[in-house]
Structures are given as C-alpha cells and as structure tokens.
Amino acid sequence: MTARLEAWQRRCAASAPLSFIDVNLRGAGQVMFQNHPLTGALFIAAIAWGSVEAGAVPVLVGGLLGLLSATLCAMWLRVDAEALAAGMYGYNGFLVGLALPTFLEAAPLLWVYVVLGGAVSVVITLGTANVARTWRVAALTFPFVLTTWILLLAAAAFAGLGGEPPPFADETEVLAPALTDPLDLGTFVVGVLFSVSQVFLKANVVSALLFLAGLALASPAAAGFALGGAVLAVLTAHLFGAESGLVSAGLLGFSPVLTAVALGTVFYRPGWRVAAYAALGTVFTVVSQAALNTAFAPLGIPALTAPFVLCAWLFLLPQQHLQGSEDAGR
C-alpha cells in the first residue's frame, strides 16, 4: 500500500488536476484526523451510500461543494502549502456542506449558502489557529461549528432559505429519562455504529463500517479508539439514563468518538496512561453533549461537534502532564 501511495503522490506532483483531487480527498479524511487520500475516498463513499439510501442526495452534493469551496478559498488566500496539501483547510468546509442540507431544505439559494460557508470556514480556521496556537491547542472543528450555527440561525430571516426556523434533529430535545429502555445487544451495536457515522451526520450501518475501514487503512489505532470511544459513549449514556432513542441514533456518541481519536492517537503519544486519559475525556464529552444539547435547545440549533471541541481543548491544555505530539495547526 505504501508503494501505491508513493506512486499516487508522484502522479499528483506531475499533474495539477490530480493534485487538486488529492488535496480534497485528504480534506475529507482530516475530519477524523487522517492525512490519507484513500481514507478520504472511503469517507466520501460512506456519505454517498448513506445519502442515497436515505433519499438525501443533496447532503452528499453539499458536502462535496463545501469541500471544494473551502479548498479553493484556501488556495486563493495562499495558505501554508504543506498544510493545504495535507487537507487541513478542507475538512471544516466539508462538514459545513454536509450540515446545511441536513438541516435546511434544498432550495436554489442553499448552494450559495454552502459555498459561502465553505469559504468562511477557512477564514475562521486561520483565525482560530492563530489564537489557539498561544495555548498549544488546535482549531479542530470549531470553524465548522461556528460557521454552521451562524448560517442556521440566519436562515430564519431569509425567505430564500425558508424564512422560518428549520426542523432540526431530535438532538436538540431535552433528554427524557422516562424514555429510557433497557440496553439490549441490538440497540447497543446500532448505537455504537451510529456514533461513528454521526460524525458525518449519517445514521447508517454500512456507512459506519466504511468509516471504520477508512480509519483502519490510515491508522489502525485511530479505528480502535473510534470504536472504543463509541462503545464507551453508549455505555455511559445508558448508565446515566439518557433517552434510548438518542443513544441508539448515535446522537450522544459522535463527539465522544472524535475526542477518543484526538486524545488517544493524535495529540498524545499512545500508551496506557494516555488511553486512560482519553477514556476520561470521552466520558466527559458524553456529559458535555447532553449539557450543550439542553443549552442550545431554546435556540433551535444542534450542538454539532461543540462538545468535542470544548472537551478536547480542556484535555489538551494540561499538556505538560502527558507526553504529547504537537499538531497545533488543526
């Protein structure tokens, strides 16, 4: 696989169109911290499968449009060439493009909105990275969260985008303990897999398996931590009596999955001590997800990956107590 990847890189170096495709594939992979074009291709395939099966093709189109918009904006702004080549400026735009058609109806002006969101996510990424570097943390998905929140709230004021608050997902509902059901094997497995796929706003078993395959291709450790984080998130949510529908839909697990991968494999050198630290952060992210779901419910907007960003920042600040690897540009 290494020889094939090297051959692909040589072809990209000799071809501008291939190089552009490579940058965008890596941008898709960077949603889960992977700088690998085939990982990005599998992620896009997973989204395509989930979107087509759910009858939501505009979500796939939006994701690709947001990714392209972000990459082109980054090139226009002449960002750091190495970071651009690694896809570091595409993943937030990719997520913005997936989120907007998920929460807004597909009107012609929605695509203008997606292009705008993808481009602005790059500006916010640059600004956030500059500020976050002082604290030796990374931008993560904060640009995606902030951009999407602003665009969703503004949509209520624009007739061309619906002119009324859109019907957001059940994620925004206050948790109802009375709706808690016993944890059975089927619910558990579905909740674990959906916790992985919901990182990309998808609730699909095949998509989840493709996401895990893409992770394993680039980093078996990342795939292990993603799966372990999903298991821990589902168990924690059930232990605390979260609403079973939210747990089985993966809506309390996707941010913890990102936290597990980030702390366990990206920003700290893997080991038993770091694994325990990542587990602590993962559990706290479940609690934070429930807290932010409740906090944002009156605003009618989803928490998105804000719990991951918050918890990752909190658990990255004490870096002097763990042996870490620096990647402050994310």
Side-chain angles (χ1 to χ4, degrees), residues 200-299:
F200 296 84
L201 295 96
K202 289 292 159 201
N204 187 282
V205 170
V206 173
S207 294
L209 294 175
L210 286 172
F211 289 133
L212 288 171
L215 277 175
L217 176 69
S219 170
F225 270 88
L227 191 58
V231 169
L232 186 56
V234 171
L235 290 174
T236 300
H238 271 284
L239 175 65
F240 285 129
E243 183 181 329
S244 295
L246 295 180
V247 180
S248 61
L251 293 174
L252 291 177
F254 60 92
S255 279
V257 165
L258 287 172
T259 299
V261 174
L263 297 181
T265 69
V266 179
F267 295 100
Y268 293 116
R269 189 172 297 119
W272 287 110
R273 190 160 173 257
V274 166
Y277 191 69
L280 179 63
T282 300
V283 170
F284 190 64
T285 307
V286 176
V287 177
S288 299
Q289 184 79 56
L292 292 185
N293 286 351
T294 303
F296 286 107
L299 295 176

Side-chain angles (χ1 to χ4, degrees), residues 1-23:
M1 184 61 68
T2 301
R4 291 181 180 179
L5 182 58
E6 289 176 352
W8 166 256
Q9 290 173 334
R10 286 195 296 271
R11 289 182 188 137
C12 291
S15 169
L18 282 181
S19 178
F20 184 73
I21 292 172
D22 181 71
V23 168

Side-chain angles (χ1 to χ4, degrees), residues 161-235:
L161 292 162
E164 59 183 21
F168 296 116
D170 290 341
E171 178 189 355
T172 60
E173 293 183 358
V174 177
L175 304 184
L179 297 179
T180 300
D181 295 323
L183 180 62
D184 59 76
L185 182 60
T187 301
F188 174 75
V189 172
V190 170
V192 168
L193 292 175
F194 282 6
S195 292
V196 175
S197 64
Q198 285 286 8
V199 171
F200 296 84
L201 295 96
K202 289 292 159 201
N204 187 282
V205 170
V206 173
S207 294
L209 294 175
L210 286 172
F211 289 133
L212 288 171
L215 277 175
L217 176 69
S219 170
F225 270 88
L227 191 58
V231 169
L232 186 56
V234 171
L235 290 174

Side-chain angles (χ1 to χ4, degrees), residues 16 19-21 23-24 68-80 84-85 89 122:
S19 178
F20 184 73
I21 292 172
V23 168
N24 283 286
L68 292 172
S69 172
T71 300
L72 289 171
C73 182
M75 295 171 67
W76 174 61
L77 291 175
R78 298 178 183 174
V79 300
D80 177 73
L84 174 65
Y89 295 100
V122 176

